Amino acid sequence: MKNTLLTFLLFVSCISYCQNLVPNPSFEEYDECPQWLDDFFVSNWISPTWGSPDYFNLCSEEQLGIPQNVFGWQQPYSGNGYVGVWLSDFTKNEYREYIQCVLLSPLEPLEQYEISFYVSRADSSTKACSNIGLYLSETVVSSESNESLPYTPQVVNSLNSIISDAMSWTHVIDTIVANGGERYVTLGVFTDNANTNWVSTSGGWMSEAYYYIDDVSVKKVNNVEIEEFTKLENGTVSIRVNPNEKVEVNSSELITEYSLYDLSGQLLKYSKISSKEFQIDMYGFMTGVYFLMLDNSNSRTVCKLFKY
């Protein structure tokens, strides 16, 4: 049993994610409950062009309700609201809609940041596309037209990766190194129709490509590596394994959920919790590398677990 304790977790490395710099990231706060199309009353967010994004919230009983609304049926990824945008209107050539906010603080030069957001195609859309991206800029991005903005987003789902799923949410995520000073976030499709990969989808009733957006995140990444046989301690979290191959987590802050992945990214275990101390059973797991993601209301920590 003692040998198991020493060889099960030979090395642990963790990445800690700081506060989300995006204000109102899941579109919960609003100035007025939306009732009709173009009612974009989301706190801290604007439309940077003449396009007119839409706001959906549980408070609405008209076209912009949740989960049923004028464009289809979808629950929020989290909370009670999300935003909807036309990524192209094929009856109006290059029509685009974007959303934009100002970060709580500018990005720091040469620091790593995890950028992510969730998208879901609306049931009404007969088109699905790639190139849905997030652009970070030092100065405000705006246009007096409603066509595509000529910028290259730092985080984007690839040209060959069509987001066609209308049942669930697709996570677009990447890590960047900041130039420094970036403080404006703009989301949408930044390529024209000819340079965007479009495919037809079944079951829709509008020619437009319409998507919902939720949970936008920009978080600084802190890398922490502790070479110890049985535990990691970074001041807030302690991780060790007991002789029964259960990972013991002790945190100074309340953990609200955890996810355990294998090296290929397959989700193995997930649970919503509300605890500072808990165990995760890994008995019988094959040798290899695993990733443990711990979330609370202010931060995220991802730990790499080596099982030998």
Side-chain angles (χ1 to χ4, degrees):
M1 285 297 186
K2 291 184 178 179
N3 289 335
T4 301
L5 179 63
L6 292 176
T7 59
F8 175 58
L9 284 181
L10 182 62
F11 178 80
V12 179
S13 66
C14 280
I15 299 174
S16 177
Y17 295 84
C18 298
Q19 175 192 17
N20 188 0
L21 298 178
V22 176
N24 196 15
S26 59
F27 313 111
E28 300 304 297
E29 302 170 16
Y30 55 87
D31 302 318
E32 184 179 337
C33 181
Q35 301 300 325
W36 309 104
L37 292 177
D38 304 341
D39 284 355
F40 193 68
F41 303 133
V42 188
S43 301
N44 301 111
W45 290 85
I46 64 168
S47 171
T49 70
W50 281 11
S52 54
D54 306 302
Y55 178 48
F56 303 86
N57 195 284
L58 195 63
C59 68
S60 180
E61 297 179 357
E62 303 294 341
Q63 296 179 336
L64 302 174
I66 285 177
Q68 186 64 52
N69 56 67
V70 67
F71 292 108
W73 192 100
Q74 184 58 275
Q75 294 280 9
Y77 181 78
S78 67
N80 297 321
Y82 51 74
V83 166
V85 291
W86 278 358
L87 299 184
S88 183
D89 182 345
F90 289 90
T91 65
K92 298 179 182 178
N93 299 320
E94 299 290 332
Y95 180 82
R96 296 282 191 277
E97 292 177 350
Y98 300 88
I99 58 172
Q100 185 180 93
C101 74
V102 183
L103 295 176
L104 298 176
S105 62
L107 303 191
E108 301 173 29
L110 302 180
E111 293 290 346
Q112 280 192 317
Y113 290 85
E114 180 197 78
I115 316 297
S116 77
F117 57 93
Y118 290 82
V119 294
S120 178
R121 182 181 63 86
D123 297 324
S124 62
S125 179
T126 58
K127 297 285 187 180
C129 69
S130 62
N131 286 20
I132 304 173
L134 182 149
Y135 178 60
L136 291 155
S137 58
E138 294 184 45
T139 58
V140 64
V141 169
S142 63
S143 173
E144 295 185 356
S145 76
N146 52 23
E147 298 181 354
S148 56
L149 292 171
Y151 301 101
T152 302
Q154 291 90 340
V155 177
V156 61
N157 77 300
S158 66
L159 180 64
N160 296 320
S161 178
I162 302 293
I163 298 180
S164 59
D165 193 347
M167 295 290 293
S168 58
W169 292 89
T170 298
H171 195 191
V172 180
I173 183 170
D174 203 353
T175 301
I176 69 162
V177 176
N179 292 324
E182 298 95 332
R183 58 192 302 258
Y184 292 92
V185 169
T186 308
L187 282 93
V189 168
F190 293 85
T191 47
D192 59 22
N193 286 352
N195 291 293
T196 307
N197 198 351
W198 306 94
V199 297
S200 297
T201 60
S202 60
W205 57 87
M206 296 195 311
S207 61
E208 297 86 354
Y210 194 91
Y211 282 79
Y212 305 122
I213 301 174
D214 204 359
D215 276 30
V216 184
S217 175
V218 176
K219 294 182 178 180
K220 184 180 176 181
V221 178
N222 292 326
N223 291 287
V224 180
E225 294 188 354
I226 309 294
E227 294 189 50
E228 297 186 359
F229 286 114
T230 60
K231 65 180 180 178
L232 168 109
E233 294 181 358
N234 62 8
T236 59
V237 178
S238 172
I239 299 176
R240 65 178 299 275
V241 64
N242 66 29
N244 296 320
E245 298 193 9
K246 290 183 178 180
V247 177
E248 298 179 352
V249 179
N250 291 273
S251 173
S252 60
E253 297 184 13
L254 198 68
I255 302 297
T256 57
E257 60 183 88
Y258 71 80
S259 307
L260 183 68
Y261 299 85
D262 64 15
L263 188 59
S264 69
Q266 180 180 356
L267 180 63
L268 303 176
K269 286 180 178 287
Y270 170 81
S271 181
K272 285 186 176 292
I273 58 175
S274 181
S275 178
K276 294 182 179 181
E277 299 180 8
F278 56 94
Q279 295 183 349
I280 304 171
D281 189 0
M282 293 185 67
Y283 180 78
F285 278 39
M286 297 178 62
T287 58
V289 179
Y290 298 88
F291 295 93
L292 176 61
M293 184 182 295
L294 306 173
D295 285 284
N296 62 33
S297 58
N298 297 314
S299 64
R300 168 177 293 172
T301 298
V302 179
C303 297
K304 183 184 291 184
L305 312 178
F306 294 79
K307 182 176 182 181
Y308 294 96

